[in-house]
Amino acid sequence: MTSPAVTLAPEPQEHYLNVDYGVRSWLLTTDHKRVALLYLIGITGAFFLGGFFAVLIRLELLTPQGDLVQAETYNKLFTMHGVIMVFFFLIPSIPAVLGNFLLPLMIGARDVAFPRLNLLSWYIYMAGAAFISTVVVTGGVDTGWTFYTPYSTMSSTTHVIPTALGIFIVGFSSILTGLNFIVTIHRMRAPGLTWFRLPLFVWSLYATSLIQVLGTPVLTIVIALLGVERLLHVGIFDPALGGDPVLFQHLFWFYSHPAVYIMILPGMGVISELVTCFARKNIFGYRFVAFSSLGIAVLGFLVWGHHMFVAGQSVYAAMVFSLLSYLVAIPSAIKVFNWTATLHRGSISYQTPMLYVFGFIGLFTIGGLTGLFLACIGLDIHVTDTYFVVAHFHYIMVGGMVMAYLGGIHYWWPKITGRLYPEGISKLAALVIFLGFNLTFFPQFVLGYLGMPRRYHVYPEEFQVLNVMSTAGASILGIGYLLPMIYLVWSLWYGEIAGPNPWRATGLEWQTPSPPPRDNFTATPIVTTGPYEYSRPRGAHG
Amino acid sequence: MADHATAVAHQFDDVDQQREAATLGMWVFLATEVMLFGGLLTVYTVYRYLYARGFAEGSRQLDLWLGSINTVVLITSSLTMAIGVHGAQVGRRRVLVGSLLLTIVLGAIFLSIKGIEYAHKFEEGLVPGIDFTYAGPEAPHVALFILLYFMLTGVHAIHMVIGIGAVSVVAYLGWRGRFGPSYHTPVELVGLYWHFVDIVWIFLLPLLYLLHH
Amino acid sequence: MWGLPLFPPQASTLAPQVDALFFFLVGVSVFFSLLIAGLIVYFAIRYHRRSEDEVTEAVHEPMALELTWTMVPFGLAMVMYVWGASVFFTAVRPPPDALDVYVVGKQWMWKFQHTEGQREINDLHVPLGRSVRLTMTSEDVIHSFFVPAFRVKQDVLPGRYTTTWFNATKPGTYHLFCAEYCGTVHSGMIGHVVVMEPTQYESWLGTGAVEGSLASAGEKLFQDLACNTCHTGDAQARGPNLRGLLGRSVALEGGGTIIADETYIRESVLDPRAKIVAGFQPIMPTYQGLVTEEQLLSLVAYLKSLAGPTS
Ligand code: HEA
Ligand code: HEA
Ligand code: CUA
Ligand SMILES: [Cu+2]
């Protein structure tokens, strides 16, 4: 911002990692950077636990017979896979780790607005995780992550209540993070940092926070109603007692559709940061990218019914939700085109984070385009509740968001730890992940259109070949995910010293030493330009 | 007033920034609260539309007298709260602490009356899922109504309890002389919260108690 | 076993319509995916960083370009929407002359009742080239009736009727799946739809001991449950005349009317006070717990068979 040229500051004497040591200094920290690392530990655990369940799912589906695990167990596997991956990994992933770490740095603040609340949100997250862990250990839950009634309230004999409590609790951590970010973005920006000078990652966090703050309370209340119905056997959603099961679905998706945008917007923000840095170019269509985030956040609240096209809602409701789903797709299209155009006449380097950017754009596009199939009411009748849906959302959530998350982790790793990761093996890992991913989930589109229903423990024999391909892919993918785990930890000791700005990036976070000092900046920065001043102005010679 | 100057937390540049941040934070928090009650009220609205008769019958099981008294109690407490905030703004410690204490007492009265109402419901066998003896063709829908009554007023009561706790803290700090014309954000914010909880009740009264009229 | 199917059989009148829509979307998707991927690869190679100090030139977005890539996807999206909605309308509107089959789902089986009286479990026999309308309900949790070869799916809910329909175009045996997660043996709640030549179907109907049509079973129930004591059909009867009720518009006490459909009949029997017919007393007792879902469907079939008031 002040100047893109690197000023090689000396290794800082003191930074946020070495100001003090000891468990206490971590568990009672109010430093947003340390809270981010606490979250990093939590969600990494969640990811590998969820991934472990995914491995078991895929192993079971290797053969058409249900021969590896019992039906009850299989149902618990995909339920806990979904619950853990969604609520304990993907929703907090980018916001609570990268967002927490970077937001104050990017806006030139010393911390978030409410540091203690920030720490509290992590404790709430861990409390929720404790409930879920108890469930995992004591026998699991089998309702699917969607908890449809009356199955979840009247029929299932598994640990629905503790799971519901875990989700109920973790919701508050999501709300607190969102609240904190909104206030931080409004009130803590450095002098001169106007809204249109904000990095696009900050815009995307802002949009995400709006959804977290306005959507999550509804989840809280619907989970509470579910618990009450199950505990007291009263008819809120159970038709046998006068309730309406479709109402539950409406309330659930009123949160959970916007929640899928919680699970992609931060990733989109990361991509905007990375693509500019590694194409060394200003972003194409800054305002379009920024406003499309808000557009997605707002429209995202109006399309929940597209999960219920065959659930028994009225034909006219279905038509309205279909139309709105098409509208919410447009801002995503705008983003994809603007990122692509940013590459035009750039100076493109193929460092690891950029490989993840390429992966993200390609896979998100496929995932998003197949969302259009699902939004199409005439077509959704056939593909809903099949593997087509499973493939759609893994393309976006794993191919999109997890790629963005990994790209972001690699990109900011030097800032977070002061060390560089090894470039060669990390490129290999990115490639393995990309290939493994496609082999895992592309066959599922075909399976879905063929009619293989999701959540099936046994399946007809003719679907086996495609399932074997998918399982093979998942094994490759699993190895791909283990690699960064290993070499990133390795780099903590053996990685090259990074220096403040290894990528020659322009964001404020690169103007301060790596790792940053406790208060981020030695002096409050004063901002005079936009966030992506990579290029010289048109016509100027340099 | 002894000590008006309060430390600015390290992440803020000055008192103004700190105050603005806190205020915005409270408004955002209230937005989440609106969505929370909004979710419950949606459920209420859907079923009220579907089972109008059962809901009217259920509403008749509530004690309008107690509901009305509670409304008066709560509105009065909002008034005392407002006086308290004013007291802080003009630096009158006695006014501040006195009216906050009054607010706490009124809040406690509200909760006690609520408790009496709940106790009646238990005596009358009007607690769905635990002891529900109401008979008649509309019984399932009456049960649904009473259940939503418990949920709505219960969630509201939890907010009251939290509110009383927050007012107590602020009253204590006020008594210690922490607030004055230059610093009184916490009092204002707690006041905002209290008024919000009050407004929620103003919505609940007609929806629950006055439905059959 | 090692065959690799890539496309499901097309065995209903709806299937080609859905597939055409599908291929249109595949076309659009392939186009955009290749466009984006192609551009990325091209730019990545063409503008590869050649020296560490390379500097680029700032570009500002031309409005025309932004509008183009907003409006073109929007236009395509609207085509998908309108086309999808029109297929949807076909899919949810059964033709009036359809054959009725009644379906009850429960954990974990499908029960079918034909109007002629045949009952089947998990297998459904239907004639070729004839529209079949399914009226479905569930005894416990939500299920979903899914026949991939017909491109037909509809959730089956407890406490209400949902309907779907198909017109099979190829004889054969097709998968029937439960597509909504319903508990432990969800993946075992499967069966087959057997499409038969009309003549074969007729002879299939003739086999097996059947105690008369579904409507006659309903009629018997109508007497056993003493419905006929009030619904005598007379003008002075305590209950309204039920002849020709289905599809009729019924005036309700307290204003409003309702078109009587299967769900309304179900509700009238289980929760008679939910809607009171204008001019009658709310004296009808509830039959909640006294009739099974299958019996209710036979009552519906019986009332349906009472077409038009006899004069
Ligand atoms: C991060 C998560 C995420 C995201 C971002 C999305 C994005 C979208 N989703 Fe997805 N979705 C899920 C996660 C997500 N989804 C999950 C988890 C489920 C299943 C839940 C369950 O049942 O368990 C689901 C299910 C789901 C359904 C219900 C399916 C069913 O159960 O029957 C539908 C239906 O409309 C849908 C639609 C869409 C659409 C239209 C988008 C759009 O936002 C996509 C927009 C993006 C693009 C369109 C691509 C880029 C555009 C271009 C390259 C230009 C070309 C564009 C045009 C021609 C328009 N999704
Ligand atoms: C939000 C994020 C998310 C993520 C990241 C993933 C990641 C993966 N998912 Fe998941 N998935 C969901 C969200 C997600 N999923 C949801 C919401 C559902 C729906 C649930 C429902 O129906 O209710 C679902 C359902 C689902 C199904 C369908 C189950 C069914 O319907 O019957 C399948 C099947 O293949 C699947 C597979 C995978 C695979 C192979 C991965 C891979 O990407 C995972 C790769 C990771 C690893 C492989 C871990 C690596 C670690 C190791 C290999 C070490 C082994 C572990 C130990 C030693 C402890 N997922
Ligand atoms: Cu029945 Cu799944
Ligand atoms: Cu959705």
Side-chain angles (χ1 to χ4, degrees):
Chain A
M1 307 203 153
T2 32
S3 138
V6 215
T7 41
L8 268 177
E11 246 311 87
Q13 298 301 309
E14 192 181 74
H15 52 72
Y16 79 105
L17 292 169
N18 68 9
V19 274
D20 42 20
Y21 295 95
V23 179
R24 238 181 98 87
S25 78
W26 280 89
L27 291 184
L28 296 180
T29 184
T30 52
D31 183 350
H32 66 101
K33 299 184 285 304
R34 286 190 167 203
V35 174
L37 292 191
L38 291 175
Y39 262 116
L40 177 66
I41 296 168
I43 70 153
T44 306
F47 176 72
F48 279 93
L49 186 58
F52 174 66
F53 291 133
V55 170
L56 293 180
I57 292 176
R58 283 311 331 161
L59 284 178
E60 167 61 60
L61 296 178
L62 202 51
T63 57
Q65 307 81 19
D67 37 18
L68 180 67
V69 295
Q70 307 256 294
E72 290 89 355
T73 315
Y74 181 80
N75 297 342
K76 290 174 183 168
L77 288 178
F78 67 71
T79 303
M80 291 182 304
H81 167 70
V83 166
I84 291 173
M85 284 298 199
V86 169
F87 295 107
F88 293 89
F89 169 61
L90 209 54
I91 287 181
S93 63
I94 294 186
V97 178
L98 295 175
N100 250 331
F101 195 93
L102 292 163
L103 176 59
L105 283 163
M106 283 184 159
I107 64 172
R110 281 184 290 278
D111 208 317
V112 292
F114 310 115
R116 265 176 297 177
L117 221 52
N118 203 16
L119 179 65
L120 178 65
S121 91
W122 180 74
Y123 276 102
I124 296 177
Y125 169 85
M126 291 307 281
F131 270 91
I132 299 295
S133 312
T134 322
V135 171
V136 169
V137 173
T138 58
V141 58
D142 76 341
T143 57
W145 83 283
T146 48
F147 294 95
Y148 273 16
T149 56
Y151 181 72
S152 61
T153 53
M154 297 297 169
S155 184
S156 172
T157 53
T158 54
H159 299 292
V160 178
I161 295 277
T163 314
L165 251 169
I167 295 173
F168 180 89
I169 292 170
V170 81
F172 288 100
S173 101
S174 187
I175 293 176
L176 289 185
T177 304
L179 188 151
N180 222 333
F181 284 8
I182 290 180
V183 176
T184 306
I185 296 169
H186 270 282
R187 292 282 176 253
M188 312 287 284
R189 301 193 307 275
L193 188 50
T194 57
W195 282 89
F196 290 115
R197 286 179 184 164
L198 283 176
L200 288 164
F201 183 52
V202 175
W203 273 97
S204 78
L205 284 178
Y206 187 77
T208 308
S209 302
L210 285 180
I211 306 177
Q212 285 177 302
V213 159
L214 296 177
T216 319
V218 178
L219 176 74
T220 307
I221 210 69
V222 65
I223 292 276
L225 287 168
L226 183 110
V228 167
E229 169 161 300
R230 188 171 164 93
L231 277 178
L232 300 181
H233 285 278
V234 285
I236 309 173
F237 304 121
D238 181 14
L241 300 168
D244 181 355
V246 180
L247 181 63
F248 173 84
Q249 297 178 22
H250 277 293
L251 292 170
F252 179 83
W253 291 116
F254 180 84
Y255 165 75
S256 291
H257 179 81
V260 310
Y261 294 122
I262 298 179
M263 294 186 266
I264 196 67
L265 281 168
M268 294 169 154
V270 167
I271 295 306
S272 301
E273 299 301 311
L274 270 54
V275 77
T276 45
C277 174
F278 294 99
R280 202 169 279 171
K281 214 164 134 288
N282 64 328
I283 188 99
F284 200 88
Y286 176 92
R287 287 182 189 225
F288 291 91
V289 179
F291 281 123
S292 59
S293 290
L294 291 184
I296 290 174
V298 173
L299 282 172
F301 273 105
L302 306 176
V303 306
W304 75 88
H306 68 202
H307 294 271
M308 304 162 55
F309 286 149
V310 302
Q313 65 181 349
S314 85
V315 176
Y316 300 98
M319 290 187 58
V320 172
F321 284 123
S322 169
L323 181 64
L324 290 165
S325 302
Y326 278 113
L327 295 186
V328 77
I330 303 301
S332 298
I334 293 176
K335 279 181 194 276
V336 169
F337 290 122
N338 278 297
W339 290 323
T340 311
T342 303
L343 298 174
H344 184 237
R345 309 189 58 185
S347 163
I348 298 169
S349 93
Y350 303 155
Q351 262 137 335
T352 310
M354 192 59 156
L355 298 186
Y356 283 109
V357 170
F358 294 155
F360 174 98
I361 299 179
L363 301 179
F364 170 74
T365 299
I366 296 179
L369 286 165
T370 52
L372 303 177
F373 289 57
L374 302 170
C376 184
I377 18 182
L379 201 48
D380 186 62
I381 298 182
H382 178 55
V383 287
T384 182
D385 273 319
T386 67
Y387 266 82
F388 196 93
V389 178
V390 175
H392 155 68
F393 66 73
H394 283 92
Y395 259 81
I396 296 189
M397 302 206 292
V398 184
M401 186 70 163
V402 176
M403 291 270 176
Y405 173 68
L406 286 174
I409 287 284
H410 282 85
Y411 177 64
W412 283 294
W413 193 251
K415 183 54 57 185
I416 296 173
T417 65
R419 305 275 181 166
L420 286 171
Y421 58 83
E423 190 64 42
I425 184 166
S426 66
K427 280 188 176 142
L428 178 72
L431 196 70
V432 170
I433 291 175
F434 182 79
L435 295 177
F437 173 83
N438 282 295
L439 185 56
T440 310
F441 293 108
F442 197 83
Q444 296 186 359
F445 283 124
V446 183
L447 275 174
Y449 203 77
L450 279 170
M452 176 163 166
R454 60 192 284 204
R455 299 168 171 174
Y456 258 34
H457 167 238
V458 291
Y459 58 85
E461 287 200 345
E462 67 254 36
F463 298 147
Q464 185 172 10
V465 179
L466 290 159
N467 270 296
V468 170
M469 289 163 73
S470 180
T471 302
S475 326
I476 300 174
L477 186 57
I479 295 169
Y481 284 138
L482 282 176
L483 287 176
M485 189 67 201
I486 296 165
Y487 65 72
L488 286 178
V489 173
W490 176 89
S491 77
L492 290 178
W493 287 274
Y494 307 106
E496 250 178 83
I497 301 290
N501 191 356
W503 315 121
R504 301 223 238 158
T506 55
L508 275 187
E509 76 271 26
W510 301 106
Q511 314 284 311
T512 190
S514 314
R518 168 67 182 87
D519 277 348
N520 295 345
F521 299 93
T522 28
T524 307
I526 293 173
V527 183
T528 52
T529 59
Y532 307 115
E533 296 292 312
Y534 288 101
S535 319
R536 69 171 130 56
R538 206 165 199 158
H541 294 277
Chain B
M1 312 306 305
D3 164 27
H4 290 173
T6 29
V8 179
H10 88 105
Q11 72 271 26
F12 295 113
D13 294 335
D14 50 36
V15 191
D16 283 346
Q17 192 188 28
Q18 175 159 335
R19 192 192 60 239
E20 284 168 6
T23 311
L24 180 62
M26 180 49 84
W27 280 107
V28 176
F29 174 70
L30 293 184
T32 72
E33 294 279 40
V34 170
M35 295 307 289
L36 185 85
F37 281 101
L40 260 182
L41 287 175
T42 308
V43 176
Y44 170 91
T45 311
V46 168
Y47 287 129
R48 171 176 168 196
Y49 171 75
L50 284 176
Y51 309 131
R53 215 182 341 233
F55 269 43
E57 205 169 307
S59 172
R60 241 166 272 142
Q61 311 305 315
L62 302 184
D63 192 328
L64 182 55
W65 268 109
L66 293 183
S68 313
I69 294 173
N70 252 350
T71 310
V72 175
V73 171
L74 214 51
I75 290 178
T76 317
S77 80
S78 254
L79 185 69
T80 57
M81 185 76 226
I83 295 173
V85 173
H86 183 71
Q89 284 164 343
V90 298
R92 310 244 318 253
R93 199 175 78 170
R94 296 260 294 280
V95 175
L96 166 67
V97 176
S99 44
L100 288 190
L101 287 179
L102 215 55
T103 310
I104 294 172
V105 171
L106 288 168
I109 294 179
F110 176 92
L111 284 176
S112 313
I113 295 182
K114 199 82 256 162
I116 295 173
E117 274 192 78
Y118 282 2
H120 283 174
K121 294 284 161 299
F122 273 91
E123 282 159 24
E124 293 160 9
L126 280 177
V127 189
I130 294 171
D131 175 20
F132 193 75
T133 51
Y134 187 87
E138 292 292 343
H141 305 154
V142 174
L144 194 55
F145 174 85
I146 307 259
L147 186 79
L148 288 172
Y149 158 81
F150 272 111
M151 294 281 294
L152 281 163
T153 56
V155 175
H156 179 260
I158 294 172
H159 281 78
M160 289 289 298
V161 172
I162 296 172
I164 290 177
V167 177
S168 310
V169 172
V170 171
Y172 171 75
L173 293 178
W175 176 66
R176 296 280 304 273
R178 285 283 294 280
F179 304 120
S182 63
Y183 177 66
H184 46 256
T185 323
V187 193
E188 282 177 354
L189 297 187
V190 170
L192 248 140
Y193 177 80
W194 192 267
H195 295 317
F196 171 81
V197 176
D198 201 8
I199 290 171
V200 170
W201 179 258
I202 303 297
F203 273 93
L204 296 188
L205 180 80
L207 290 178
L208 296 173
Y209 291 82
L210 301 177
L211 190 59
H212 59 284
H213 290 276
Chain C
M1 171 174 144
W2 290 102
L4 179 58
L6 293 175
F7 205 74
Q10 259 186 355
S12 75
T13 50
L14 185 65
Q17 296 186 38
V18 173
D19 291 345
L21 187 56
F22 177 69
F23 286 119
F24 171 67
L25 271 103
V26 170
V28 173
S29 300
V30 168
F31 172 77
F32 278 105
S33 304
L34 290 183
L35 178 73
I36 303 281
L39 283 175
I40 290 180
V41 171
Y42 172 72
F43 290 156
I45 295 169
R46 171 74 177 73
Y47 304 111
H48 181 213
R49 188 175 297 172
R50 293 195 171 75
S51 83
E52 253 324 291
D53 295 319
E54 206 169 55
V55 183
T56 58
E57 202 168 80
V59 177
H60 288 283
E61 65 280 3
M63 197 57 169
L65 195 56
E66 294 284 352
L67 280 180
T68 312
W69 64 45
T70 306
M71 292 322 288
V72 170
F74 176 76
L76 283 168
M78 286 307 104
V79 175
M80 296 173 193
Y81 168 66
V82 172
W83 188 348
S86 75
V87 172
F88 184 67
F89 265 99
T90 331
V92 295
R93 291 241 181 93
D97 62 337
L99 200 70
D100 271 309
V101 172
Y102 297 89
V103 184
V104 177
K106 66 174 260 194
Q107 287 169 327
W108 290 278
M109 61 164 82
W110 294 103
K111 298 189 276 190
F112 301 101
Q113 292 175 284
H114 294 260
T115 41
E116 286 82 1
Q118 274 80 7
R119 285 157 195 273
E120 304 184 72
I121 288 186
N122 291 344
D123 283 337
L124 172 63
H125 290 76
V126 294
L128 183 76
R130 178 90 198 266
S131 298
V132 177
R133 186 174 88 126
L134 306 175
T135 302
M136 310 185 286
T137 189
S138 162
E139 282 180 18
D140 36 50
V141 300
I142 303 177
H143 305 277
S144 192
F145 181 92
F146 178 31
V147 183
F150 297 165
R151 315 287 187 271
V152 155
K153 190 183 291 115
Q154 173 61 52
D155 281 9
V156 177
L157 285 89
R160 74 174 74 167
Y161 292 134
T162 51
T163 57
T164 187
W165 75 280
F166 55 81
N167 187 332
T169 53
K170 266 195 207 119
T173 304
Y174 303 103
H175 284 300
L176 158 64
F177 294 126
C178 173
E180 184 62 76
Y181 177 66
C182 56
T184 310
V185 199
H186 164 59
S187 67
M189 191 167 161
I190 56 174
H192 297 284
V193 178
V194 183
V195 178
M196 308 168 101
E197 295 288 352
T199 47
Q200 273 180 306
Y201 179 71
E202 285 308 321
S203 59
W204 176 81
L205 280 180
T207 60
V210 175
E211 331 78 76
S213 73
L214 192 60
S216 66
E219 181 171 17
K220 183 162 179 304
L221 208 57
F222 199 73
Q223 281 146 18
D224 294 350
L225 293 171
C227 315
N228 57 351
T229 53
C230 300
H231 299 285
T232 56
D234 301 340
Q236 309 81 7
R238 287 194 288 168
N241 188 347
L242 302 181
R243 221 161 244 293
L245 176 61
L246 266 140
R248 190 162 76 197
S249 145
V250 178
L252 298 178
E253 194 70 52
T257 58
I258 184 165
I259 305 283
D261 59 3
E262 291 88 348
T263 301
Y264 170 73
I265 293 184
R266 184 177 189 284
E267 186 189 58
S268 294
V269 177
L270 297 182
D271 186 8
R273 282 166 202 245
K275 299 186 183 74
I276 307 289
V277 182
F280 288 89
Q281 295 301 310
I283 50 165
M284 173 165 164
T286 168
Y287 287 82
Q288 182 90 50
L290 299 178
V291 285
T292 65
E293 291 292 348
E294 281 154 280
Q295 289 176 327
L296 267 170
L297 283 169
S298 69
L299 282 173
V300 168
Y302 168 59
L303 292 185
K304 246 189 214 174
S305 72
L306 296 178
T310 46
S311 45

